[in-house]
């Protein structure tokens, strides 16, 4: 069982809504990630936080806003999304150093209507 | 452009056979190599990681790494229908948090 917990499992939102995806890990990992995965495609990196600081932003549109309140929590705030943003959003974590093994949560299925 | 290449499959093997999944990568600076299994509608699950040249075995799974030839493979012995999934190869450099994923190979194990 994954030790990275994501909520909600499923989310349907309108294009004018504001919602958030939440992620929590208790493995003491110091790097946390958001990935986006479309059907039949590999995961695409969106953001990386290292020691609670934003380390990588893969040129993600500003309608996606990450937040890392502490070393165990990671949020993704969603606003004014488009239908093409519908996807599986995966949170992941890894120990502190780059190149360490990344462990994924179960994901949040997002549908934008 | 750093790339990781996998045959998309499907790779079809009978139950009990050895399934061999291959992956090549373009960046010689790559240091860490991972295999993830992903069932349809689920998130990727780590199967194996390997850092050094040679073989690494874990139960029915063996990861093989050849840095000179820039390939990494995953062997699944005594394949079971429950092994039917997409297998993602991922590569990382020690200097970066970014994993480069291949497009995945779909494995089908026939009963």
């Amino acid at each position: 069982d994954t030790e990275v917990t994501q909520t909600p499992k499923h989310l349907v939102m309108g294009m004018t809504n504001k919602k958030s995806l939440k992620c929590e890990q208790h493995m003491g990992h110091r790097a946390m990630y958001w990935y986006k995965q479309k059907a039949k495609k590999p995961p695409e990196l969106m953001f990386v936080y290292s020691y609670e600081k934003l380390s990588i932003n893969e040129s993600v549109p500003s309608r996606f806003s990450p937040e890392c309140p502490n070393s165990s929590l990671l949020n993704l705030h969603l606003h004014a999304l488009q239908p093409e943003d519908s996807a599986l959003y995966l949170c992941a974590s890894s120990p502190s150093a780059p190149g360490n093994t990344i462990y994924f949560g179960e994901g949040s299925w997002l549908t934008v209507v | 452009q750093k790339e990781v290449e996998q045959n998309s499959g499907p790779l079809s093997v009978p139950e009990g056979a050895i399934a061999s999944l291959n992956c090549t990568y373009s960046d010689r600076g790559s240091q860490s190599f991972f295999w993830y299994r992903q069932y349809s509608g689920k998130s990727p699950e780590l199967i194996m990681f390997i850092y050094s040249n040679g073989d690494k075995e874990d139960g029915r799974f063996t990861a093989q790494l050849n840095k000179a030839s820039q390939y990494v493979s995953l062997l699944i012995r005594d394949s079971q229908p429950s092994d039917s999934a997409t297998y993602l190869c991922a590569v990382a450099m020690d200097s970066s948090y970014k994993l480069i994923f291949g497009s995945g190979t779909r494995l089908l194990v026939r009963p």
Side-chain angles (χ1 to χ4, degrees):
Chain A
D1 287 343
T2 181
E3 295 184 64
V4 179
T5 304
Q6 291 186 241
T7 56
K9 297 283 190 285
H10 298 272
L11 177 63
V12 179
M13 61 183 290
M15 289 188 284
T16 59
N17 291 160
K18 285 185 180 181
K19 296 286 185 183
S20 297
L21 304 180
K22 297 185 183 299
C23 176
E24 188 170 7
Q25 59 89 12
H26 293 290
M27 294 181 283
H29 289 173
R30 300 312 300 266
M32 295 187 76
Y33 308 73
W34 281 114
Y35 281 83
K36 173 183 175 179
Q37 188 175 24
K38 303 281 276 185
K40 300 192 186 303
K41 297 289 187 183
E44 296 175 30
L45 182 64
M46 300 175 71
F47 303 104
V48 180
Y49 275 83
S50 173
Y51 290 88
E52 299 155 50
K53 287 185 169 44
L54 186 63
S55 176
I56 296 177
N57 176 341
E58 289 285 285
S59 302
V60 178
S62 60
R63 58 186 185 268
F64 295 92
S65 176
E67 178 195 20
C68 189
N70 60 54
S71 61
S72 300
L73 295 174
L74 185 66
N75 299 321
L76 186 63
H77 302 297
L78 314 170
H79 173 54
L81 295 192
Q82 304 297 310
E84 58 266 28
D85 296 321
S86 298
L88 177 64
Y89 287 84
L90 296 161
C91 176
S93 70
S94 70
S96 55
N100 281 174
T101 304
I102 292 176
Y103 299 90
F104 287 92
E106 293 185 346
S108 293
W109 286 97
L110 173 67
T111 302
V112 182
V113 297
Chain B
Q1 178 81 4
K2 297 171 187 173
E3 292 184 348
V4 177
E5 300 284 342
Q6 293 181 258
N7 189 317
S8 61
L11 172 66
S12 181
V13 301
E15 184 174 354
I18 295 175
S20 178
L21 304 163
N22 299 311
C23 171
T24 59
Y25 59 94
S26 62
D27 193 332
R28 285 195 172 274
S30 302
Q31 299 284 349
S32 308
F33 306 86
F34 306 90
W35 284 99
Y36 290 86
R37 176 176 65 196
Q38 188 169 26
Y39 293 112
S40 180
K42 301 294 186 182
S43 65
E45 173 192 8
L46 180 71
I47 297 295
M48 295 280 289
F49 60 87
I50 186 167
Y51 302 135
S52 305
N53 274 331
D55 294 359
K56 179 181 178 184
E57 188 173 319
D58 183 1
R60 296 187 295 114
F61 299 97
T62 299
Q64 299 175 318
L65 174 61
N66 184 323
K67 289 187 177 181
S69 300
Q70 295 177 245
Y71 82 77
V72 57
S73 61
L74 180 70
L75 301 179
I76 306 175
R77 288 182 298 282
D78 188 24
S79 295
Q80 301 296 308
S82 58
D83 295 324
S84 298
T86 296
Y87 288 80
L88 295 162
C89 172
V91 172
M93 297 176 65
D94 282 354
S95 59
S96 172
Y97 284 104
K98 186 172 181 178
L99 269 187
I100 310 295
F101 280 92
S103 57
T105 297
R106 189 166 144 244
L107 173 66
L108 180 63
V109 180
R110 309 186 304 273

